[in-house]
Amino acid sequence: MRVASATVRAVNGLTARWAGTTGDGTVFSAAGVWPLLAFLADGAAGPARAELSQALGLPAEQAAGAARELLAGMGAAQGLDTALGLWTKRTLQLRGEWEAGLPAQAHGVLTGDVGADREALDAWAVKRTGGLIDRMPVGLTEDTEMVLASALALRTRWLRPFHEVPLETAYEPWATTERLGLRRSTAVLDRIGVAGTPDGFVTELKVLGSNALDVHLLLGEEGMTPGQVLGAGVGILAGRHAVLPGTRLPYGDVGPGLRVEKVRSTVPEPPSLDVTTVAYDMKASHDLLMLHQLFGLTTARDTSRGHFPGVSAYPLAVGSAEQNTMAKFGALGFEAAAVTAFGMAGAGAPEPRYVTTRISAAFDRPFGFLALHRHTRLVLAAGWVTDPLPFPEFDGEEEW
């Protein structure tokens, strides 16, 4: 995967800031949101552009290029599937330069039939995540002019699988009901390490996948918040927090949940790392507009006027911004997915710049027709319509 280090830092920075807003069990993907914010920033103007740029961590003029590189890099990684989709009403004209900057064949159509459009968008989410996400998270209405969405799905199998065991724990909320524990042992001691951070010590375990997709488990000191622990993990990745690896740890209780000791053995054995964790399967939904400042959407959500002249001459604002996510960690591997969608609504009233003529026609009583060859004007069929077909009732079978 080839992605510029500045883009990696920007996406990870959004991850850390988003983590700082969490206080309960959840799963989210900043990598699923960031490209969409970048493309919106590319077409934004005024305060909306400045706010989006700040949320991205990159100048708005660099955002679209970075987003394209990010999507291409993720798409080329083994075990990781990504996609970007754009749907607009037929009446919405996009700026050619902005549309050309999106991935090829990303553009679809919103028909205005909310039920049919919802079905098509949900089908896209299912297809692009391999069934891990079954619904497009967008507030779709008849007023939705445009939907911009991303999908991300990853799957990996552990290089060294875990064994499933009953979990033994003194943590009472988990101890009240027997949980599915996972255990394994390895001689590779540097898979574990301890980092000192301004908020406390954090133990980091690297669980390696067979296709270079890994999962890092992070345990902080009691009292540390989710944002502090996850932020520490991002800091470790960025090199801001040094990690003392397992091969250099002293004896004793050396970190959260981590103890190093000498044990007796009847036969010669190499040093070992014994790990116990838990299996989990979780889902979460996020309304990004609830965190509009985090994502730079404060001004963009104001529907009294447009904010994206680089996207379309028609005034647009962000009407909805949501993400559906899932993650599953088991004995053999890990899988996760996220679908993020922005629904763009019309904003204010377009300036009336032209004069036009409108003609309405209603064929709402018996009428005739002619079918003819255009150039020779040869009539090929003619008829008179008095009994249109009834509205079909779907019964699971189609008749021809």
Side-chain angles (χ1 to χ4, degrees), residues 28-351:
F28 60 92
S29 173
V33 178
W34 199 93
L36 303 185
L37 296 177
F39 286 122
L40 290 180
D42 181 53
R49 184 178 178 91
E51 291 170 4
L52 284 164
S53 177
Q54 183 176 4
L56 287 166
L58 283 181
E61 57 270 20
Q62 300 176 16
R68 288 191 291 270
E69 180 193 51
L70 176 64
L71 290 171
M74 292 193 299
Q78 185 181 4
L80 179 59
D81 297 315
T82 62
L84 185 134
L86 171 71
W87 296 263
T88 62
K89 283 187 176 178
R90 298 182 189 277
T91 54
L92 182 68
Q93 294 185 347
L94 299 176
R95 301 288 190 190
E97 182 178 352
W98 184 83
E99 184 180 7
L102 301 180
Q105 299 179 341
H107 197 170
V109 174
L110 294 176
T111 67
D113 182 331
V114 174
D117 290 339
R118 163 60 62 192
E119 184 176 343
L121 293 174
D122 289 348
W124 185 89
V126 171
K127 179 179 179 181
R128 296 301 184 177
T129 63
L132 296 178
I133 303 291
D134 61 5
R135 186 177 183 278
M136 175 73 76
V138 64
L140 195 65
T141 70
E142 293 181 355
D143 297 326
T144 302
E145 295 286 335
M146 184 179 91
V147 173
L148 182 64
S150 72
L152 179 153
L154 65 94
R155 294 176 173 85
T156 190
R157 293 180 68 85
W158 306 135
L159 288 175
R160 182 184 295 272
F162 290 83
H163 299 288
E164 296 182 346
V165 297
L167 179 68
E168 297 179 4
T169 177
Y171 182 59
E172 291 188 359
W174 287 8
T176 55
T177 302
E178 191 169 63
R179 313 285 176 157
L180 175 58
L182 301 175
R183 182 176 295 166
R184 75 178 190 186
S185 180
T186 177
V188 185
L189 304 186
D190 61 4
R191 297 287 187 263
I192 198 80
V194 178
T197 78
D199 298 312
F201 288 99
V202 174
T203 298
E204 177 196 49
L205 172 70
K206 302 174 183 178
V207 186
L208 307 189
S210 60
N211 52 8
L213 297 179
D214 307 329
V215 176
H216 291 197
L217 305 184
L218 302 161
L219 181 65
E221 293 185 43
E222 292 186 18
M224 289 182 68
T225 67
Q228 290 172 333
V229 176
L230 292 172
V234 173
I236 290 171
L237 295 177
R240 292 194 297 271
H241 307 311
V243 177
L244 188 65
T247 52
R248 297 174 54 195
L249 292 174
Y251 293 109
D253 296 317
V254 294
L258 188 60
R259 180 174 178 78
V260 180
E261 57 187 342
K262 291 183 177 181
V263 295
R264 296 183 179 276
S265 174
T266 58
V267 295
E269 294 181 356
S272 66
L273 168 63
D274 299 324
V275 173
T276 299
T277 183
V278 294
Y280 54 84
D281 187 351
M282 57 196 305
K283 297 181 179 179
S285 297
H286 304 281
D287 184 345
L288 306 185
L289 292 186
M290 295 291 290
L291 300 170
H292 53 88
Q293 291 181 318
L294 171 66
F295 298 109
L297 298 172
T298 301
T299 298
R301 66 191 177 132
D302 176 10
T303 58
S304 66
R305 58 190 177 91
H307 310 285
F308 301 95
V311 175
S312 174
Y314 188 88
L316 295 172
V318 176
S320 68
E322 301 178 46
Q323 183 181 88
N324 287 346
T325 56
M326 63 78 60
K328 185 176 182 178
F329 187 110
L332 301 180
F334 177 82
E335 59 185 14
V339 173
T340 311
F342 286 77
M344 308 297 288
E351 182 181 356

